[in-house]
Each structure stands twice: as C-alpha cells, then as structure tokens.
C-alpha cells in the first residue's frame, strides 16, 4: 500500500521573494489571524503587516507588505537574528527552520562581500521584513505539515537594482550565490524577480527543481503577488498537494538528508576545563547537539571524542570553533540522516508557577511528554519541594489536558 507526504510545488515563472511565498501560502489556506498570532511571538516591534487581495494580470493574488518604522531601521547580524528567534515562544521546529534559512542567507552574503558570517549585516530595513517573511514562511510550512518543497526552474529577471552601494546586477550577487546548483534563467524582463530571501528559502528547504514531480498530486493552489506590474502576471503560483510514496516512507521525510553533518574530533591533550566552553560556543553557533565520549587512543591514552551535529551551513563555523578553542588540529565530518518526532510546547500551571511541557508526537500519536527541567528546578528550589515531585505533578497536569 502506498502512503502520502504533504508537499508543495512552486511555479516560479515570475520569480520568488519572501513576501510572494508568504502571500501564496495565505492564499492556499493558511489563516491570516494565526500567522499574525505567531509573528507576535517574536520580540520584534515597529512594523505593520498589510495583507490585501490584488489583481495581477487577471489573477487574484494575496499581496503581503511589511512596513517598518523609521526607528526600527537597525543593522542586525546573524547572531542578533538568532537571539531574536531564540527569545520568541515559537515552536522549536519553526525556530530551527528559520535559523537555517538565515544562516544560508548570511553565508551567501559573506561570500559575496568577502567577510565572515558574523560581520554580515542584513540589508535594507534592519532585516525586519526578512524576519517576518522567513519566520512566517517557516511557521506556515509547519502549520500545513509540508515536508518537501519542489520548485520550477526560476525566472530571475535581468538588469540592475538599486541598493545602498549603488546599482547591482540582477540576479543580485547574494541571489546568484544562493542559486548555485539550482536551475534558473534570466529571460527578457529587466526587473529583480528572485530576491535573496526567496532564493535562501529554496536553497535551504528545496528538495528538487524542474518539472512537477510525477508522484505529486495538487489539491489546492495559491497565488502570492509580487510588487511589479509586468507583461506577465507578477505572481508566485503555489501548488499544495501530496507526494505518493511507498508504504512505510510516509512521516519519515523531513529535510533532505545530506543537510545534517556530524563533526568529530578526538582530543588527548586538553585541559578538561575547556570542554564546557567549546560546547557552549558550538551550541551558540547553531549546533543541534554537542556531546563528549570517553575514548582510548593510540599509546593507550585516555582521551575525549568531541562530537556535534550541525547543518551543512555551519561546517565552516564549527571548524573555526574547534580549531581555535580546542587543542585539536583536525576533525572529520560525515553526513547523517535524522528522523524526528513533532514537538510542541504547552504550559501547565502548578500552584507555585508555570511549567513548560514538551509534547512529542510521531505519525499523529503522542510518543513522549516531558516537563522542562529548568522550570521544575526553579519551582523545586523556591517551594522547597523534591524535584521529582514537581516533575511528577507537571506531567500529571499535562497528561490531563493532552
Ligand atoms: O545593499 C546591499 S549590499 C545589497 C546587496 C545585495 C546582494 O545581493 S549582495 C542585495 N541587495 C538587495 O536588497 C533587497 C532586499 O532583498 P530581500 O531578499 O531582503 O527582499 C533586494 O533588492 C536585494 O537585491 C542589497
Ligand atoms: Ni549584500
């Protein structure tokens, strides 16, 4: 028996930008009020999101515009944006996807401008519009349960576009960098049709490019409007549907496998005090997990294996951290696949305070319920209760409502 996986096919005949993608997702059925509620979870203010229905060459499409107050025109680097996302109450999976897209964008910018990822400041209006577009899209894809994104060959446009440095060629340099390995063409239209944000989403999340996959069936279509009025409709066409796959494959597909990498270094000559520091640095740089294993190396030397799981974009950063912060002078990388349960945070109220509880589910069934250790610890210390009792009460409360 065959199964299905939720998927999108993006028809980019007039390009793709962050707001075109989010507009198309809204048109395909993502509720506007839920999107607004999710974006309100970000500690970002001073912007107005307008969502309207417009006519683009006879096609009714959703136009999304982010207007940013003058006071919010900051320059933010990747670290600032990661902090904003981490300080929100968004779902962990939405945070992770958003951070991966931003990291990809920052890497492309760093390459173009000959700088490090940390030195890159996001363009234009202090990245608020990119935060809304990227986090909004990451949440909407999660809301729809989309596991694979396919896109047509991208129409990028041509000519020049004005930026703070003057005129830059279309595709913009960051866009061109992000589209390495992704089929695209320039065409006759002298406008920027694919923006760096649109390219970053596809470069990070795209599973395949070209014609609509043979095993894809569309169920709903949405149109997201671009800003231009062109001789072709300036819209992104989004097909929401499903891929038919062999039995047993459904529910296992997440991001393309090769995006995850384990980096490892065997260390036999380091002051143990340094490990927690380097682990913190790897986590802060985007590692999904970091761990130490006791090992025995050559000449029977007791040693430590430092391992971290990272996404491919963080390879250079992880290399830099391990080489500069440990005594290791080399490391190895190997691609790994991951299968993950869906995770959601709920908050339960105990007489002494609130506790966040992580509810994990797999194929629609709850597979784990775990009260957050730090919340329970705080209550245990403040109320003078055994930690295990607080954990038990939080678990009981969570089980009664989920
Ligand atoms: O201002 C600069 S340095 C600049 C550089 C680049 C590069 O590609 S490098 C691109 N841009 C333009 O900024 C806008 C914003 O794009 P979004 O993806 O945030 O919508 C776009 O027109 C880029 O081409 C500016
Ligand atoms: Ni740039």
């Amino acid at each position: 028996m065959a199964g299905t996986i939720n998927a999108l096919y993006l028809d980019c005949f007039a390009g793709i930008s962050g707001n075109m993608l989010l507009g198309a997702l809204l048109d395909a059925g993502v509720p506007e009020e839920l999107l607004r509620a999710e974006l309100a979870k970000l500690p970002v203010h001073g912007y107005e999101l307008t969502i309207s229905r417009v006519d683009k060459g006879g096609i009714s499409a959703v136009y999304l515009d982010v207007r940013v107050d003058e006071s919010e025109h900051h320059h933010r680097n990747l670290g600032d944006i990661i902090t904003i996302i981490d300080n929100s109450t968004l779902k962990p999976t939405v945070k992770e996807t958003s951070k991966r897209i931003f990291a990809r964008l920052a890497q492309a910018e760093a390459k173009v401008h000959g700088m490090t990822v940390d030195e890159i400041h996001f363009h234009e209006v202090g990245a608020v519009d990119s935060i809304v577009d990227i986090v909004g899209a990451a949440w909407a894809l999660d809301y729809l349960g989309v596991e694979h994104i396919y896109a047509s060959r991208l129409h990028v446009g041509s000519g020049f576009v004005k930026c703070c440095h003057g005129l830059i060629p279309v595709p913009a340099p960051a866009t061109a960098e992000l589209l390495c390995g992704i089929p695209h063409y320039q065409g006759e239209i002298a406008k920027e049709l694919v923006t760096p944000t649109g390219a970053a989403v596809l470069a990070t999340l795209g599973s395949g490019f070209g014609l609509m996959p043979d095993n894809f069936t569309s169920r709903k279509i949405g149109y997201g409007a671009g800003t231009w009025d062109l001789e072709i409709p300036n819209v992104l066409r989004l097909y929401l549907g499903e891929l038919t796959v062999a039995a047993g494959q459904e529910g296992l597909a997440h991001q393309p496998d090769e995006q995850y990498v384990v980096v490892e270094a065997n260390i036999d000559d380091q002051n143990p005090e340094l490990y927690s520091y380097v682990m913190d640095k790897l986590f802060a740089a985007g590692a999904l997990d970091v761990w130490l294993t006791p090992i025995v190396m050559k000449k029977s030397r007791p040693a430590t294996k430092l391992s971290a799981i990272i996404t491919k974009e963080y390879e250079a950063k992880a290399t830099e951290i391990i080489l500069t912060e440990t005594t290791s002078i080399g490391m190895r990388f190997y691609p790994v696949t991951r299968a993950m349960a869906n995770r959601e945070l709920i908050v339960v109220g105990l007489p002494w305070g609130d506790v966040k509880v992580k509810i994990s589910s797999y194929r629609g069934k709850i597979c784990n319920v775990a009260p957050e250790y730090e919340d329970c610890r705080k209550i245990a210390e403040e109320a003078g209760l055994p930690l295990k009792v607080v954990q038990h009460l939080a678990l009981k409360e969570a089980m009664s409502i989920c």
Side-chain angles (χ1 to χ4, degrees):
M1 263 255 307
T4 56
I5 292 174
N6 291 348
L8 286 186
Y9 180 76
L10 298 170
D11 194 356
C12 304
F13 58 83
I16 180 170
S17 61
N19 66 333
M20 285 166 90
L21 176 60
L22 201 44
L25 286 160
L26 288 167
D27 197 30
V30 171
E32 179 183 329
E33 60 285 5
L34 292 191
L35 171 68
R36 288 183 183 278
E38 290 301 314
L39 291 172
K41 294 180 179 176
L42 285 161
V44 174
H45 309 282
Y47 72 89
E48 194 193 343
L49 180 63
T50 53
I51 296 169
S52 52
R53 187 156 284 284
V54 294
D55 180 287
K56 284 280 173 183
I59 297 177
S60 171
V62 171
Y63 182 66
L64 185 137
D65 191 25
V66 184
R67 284 189 210 129
V68 182
D69 296 350
E70 283 287 327
S71 58
E72 279 298 310
H73 286 212
H74 306 299
H75 282 285
R76 293 187 171 105
N77 69 9
L78 183 61
D80 299 327
I81 290 182
I82 286 178
T83 304
I84 290 174
I85 294 171
D86 280 341
N87 287 344
S88 73
T89 51
L90 290 158
K91 271 176 80 170
T93 44
V94 175
K95 289 184 182 178
E96 194 193 311
T97 306
S98 309
K99 289 192 283 185
R100 285 174 50 219
I101 298 169
F102 269 110
R104 196 71 180 243
L105 192 54
Q107 276 196 333
E109 291 286 350
K111 172 100 190 297
V112 168
H113 297 296
M115 294 176 172
T116 66
V117 165
D118 298 330
E119 285 167 344
I120 284 300
H121 285 86
F122 289 92
H123 305 133
E124 310 298 312
V125 283
V128 172
D129 56 346
S130 307
I131 294 174
V132 169
D133 289 345
I134 289 174
V135 173
W139 169 77
L141 292 168
D142 183 84
Y143 172 82
L144 293 170
V146 169
E147 299 194 46
H148 277 286
I149 298 179
Y150 295 88
S152 65
R153 208 155 66 96
L154 311 179
H155 186 178
V156 293
S158 62
F160 289 83
V161 65
K162 207 166 181 185
C163 77
C164 54
H165 304 298
L167 291 177
I168 52 173
V170 172
T175 306
E177 192 58 42
L178 287 158
L179 295 187
C180 285
I182 295 180
H184 58 279
Y185 62 101
Q186 288 207 282
E188 299 295 313
I189 295 170
K191 288 276 187 236
E192 181 181 37
L193 300 180
V194 175
T195 62
T197 303
V201 173
L202 290 181
T204 312
L205 304 181
S207 293
F209 296 89
L211 297 177
M212 189 181 277
D214 286 345
N215 59 342
F216 179 80
T217 309
S218 65
R219 298 281 176 216
K220 202 159 186 191
I221 293 169
Y223 291 94
T227 355
W228 312 119
D229 283 317
L230 310 170
E231 53 267 44
I232 59 169
N234 186 204
V235 293
L236 168 68
R237 176 160 48 194
L238 178 150
Y239 295 84
L240 178 61
E242 65 223 11
L243 292 170
T244 306
V245 293
Q249 296 299 303
E250 66 276 25
L252 281 174
H254 292 277
Q255 306 309 331
D257 299 335
E258 70 277 13
Q259 289 177 334
Y260 298 101
V261 172
V262 167
V263 51
E264 278 182 4
N266 293 351
I267 306 172
D268 66 0
D269 57 351
Q270 176 172 297
N271 177 348
E273 285 173 348
L274 298 178
Y275 285 108
S276 68
Y277 185 75
V278 73
M279 288 174 87
D280 287 349
K281 281 227 153 196
L282 287 166
F283 274 121
L288 304 171
D289 202 0
V290 185
W291 64 100
L292 302 175
T293 315
I295 54 170
V296 179
M297 286 175 63
K298 62 181 184 300
K299 299 184 187 166
S300 305
R301 281 186 199 148
T304 302
K305 179 167 73 178
L306 168 69
S307 311
I309 182 162
I310 54 174
T311 52
K312 192 132 184 67
E313 307 93 85
Y314 291 111
E315 253 182 37
K317 189 72 198 165
T319 305
E320 186 189 323
I321 292 171
I322 292 172
L323 291 180
T324 51
E325 300 293 350
T326 75
T327 54
S328 174
I329 51 171
M331 70 209 72
R332 50 194 178 269
F333 295 92
Y334 50 88
V336 288
T337 56
R338 295 200 313 165
M340 293 216 307
N342 286 322
R343 286 171 275 181
E344 209 178 317
L345 272 189
I346 63 165
V347 177
V348 298
L350 294 185
W352 310 274
D354 287 347
V355 175
K356 293 191 275 309
V357 180
K358 194 186 287 168
I359 313 284
S360 304
S361 56
Y362 186 62
R363 293 183 179 168
K365 288 196 190 122
I366 292 179
C367 56
N368 203 46
V369 181
E372 290 280 292
Y373 166 76
E374 291 297 346
D375 291 353
C376 295
R377 193 181 101 157
K378 188 164 174 273
I379 290 180
E381 282 172 357
E382 288 171 4
L385 290 166
L387 175 58
K388 63 189 174 188
V389 171
V390 180
Q391 286 175 325
H392 176 80
L393 293 172
L395 187 62
K396 203 167 144 217
E397 192 62 27
M399 293 301 284
S400 71
I401 53 177
C402 69

